[in-house]
Amino acid sequence: MKGFLRAYCRQRTWRLPHGTAYPLPVVSVVRDAESQLLPDVGAVVTCKVCSINSRFAKVHILYVGSTPLKSSFRGTIRREDIRATEKDKVEVYKSFRPGDIVLAKVISLGDAQSNYLLSTAENELGVVVARSEAGVQMVPISWCEMQCPQTHTKDFRKVARVQPQFLQT
């Protein structure tokens, strides 16, 4: 039987007649077979960009490695953690847009708001899926640009060089 258990403490003494055996009810707690996987420092995560500003991009973490999460976690990619070189020249809006799917690495478990701090400062990390204004999936044409195959417009992105182990068929 599955359901909810509600209990409260109440001081009450039950006295049974001597020698009487009453079967006692059994209460058990059953957990899901799979426990919730948590992102750990150094883990590569797949996330979706929710919002951006001049200092950082806010994301929802959807996968740890290739394992989907039961519930998403919040993460932040700071401007200085987007690229390994020329950190002072990075502009967040030229790296990510809301809706982009990004591969990132967990660099810290975060701050008081419980955001994970993420980095894309490796060639293998960055945007893997982006959609154009026309709603078409864009194609990477360089490490910093993607192009819409329908309208041929180009947008700046921090493009990931996707490794074969991260590709799913």
Side-chain angles (χ1 to χ4, degrees):
M1 179 168 92
K2 292 184 179 180
F4 295 97
L5 173 67
R6 293 185 186 157
Y8 56 91
C9 186
R10 186 174 179 182
Q11 286 186 333
R12 189 166 207 186
T13 305
W14 294 93
R15 292 187 184 185
L16 300 177
H18 183 62
T20 309
Y22 288 103
L24 296 175
V26 175
V27 177
S28 61
V29 177
V30 180
R31 287 188 170 189
D32 289 340
E34 301 173 23
S35 60
Q36 176 68 33
L37 180 67
L38 296 173
D40 199 12
V41 174
V44 174
V45 296
T46 305
C47 42
K48 184 174 185 175
V49 177
C50 299
S51 64
I52 61 171
N53 64 34
S54 61
R55 295 179 293 126
F56 52 80
K58 291 283 190 184
V59 300
H60 283 146
I61 300 171
L62 306 172
Y63 286 77
V64 175
S66 60
T67 307
L69 297 174
K70 290 181 183 181
S71 58
S72 65
F73 292 96
R74 293 180 303 184
T76 302
I77 305 172
R78 299 178 301 188
R79 190 177 94 178
E80 58 268 21
D81 297 323
I82 292 175
R83 285 200 326 227
T85 59
E86 299 179 332
K87 293 181 181 194
D88 54 330
K89 295 182 181 178
V90 174
E91 295 179 69
V92 178
Y93 75 93
K94 286 187 175 180
S95 302
F96 309 113
R97 299 280 169 85
D100 287 355
I101 304 297
V102 175
L103 279 178
K105 187 174 280 188
V106 178
I107 57 172
S108 171
L109 298 181
D111 54 14
Q113 289 127 1
S114 70
N115 284 348
Y116 286 88
L117 291 178
L118 309 174
S119 171
T120 58
E122 296 177 22
N123 292 336
E124 295 77 20
L125 305 175
V127 177
V128 290
V129 177
R131 297 215 173 264
S132 68
E133 297 280 333
V136 179
Q137 186 169 323
M138 299 178 81
V139 178
I141 56 174
S142 73
W143 65 272
C144 64
E145 278 187 311
M146 295 184 108
Q147 184 175 28
C148 174
Q150 187 177 20
T151 63
H152 302 290
T153 58
K154 296 177 184 176
D155 281 339
F156 290 106
R157 296 288 202 286
K158 198 291 184 186
V159 179
R161 185 178 68 204
V162 180
Q163 298 296 306
Q165 69 262 27
F166 294 116
L167 292 175
Q168 291 183 354
T169 55

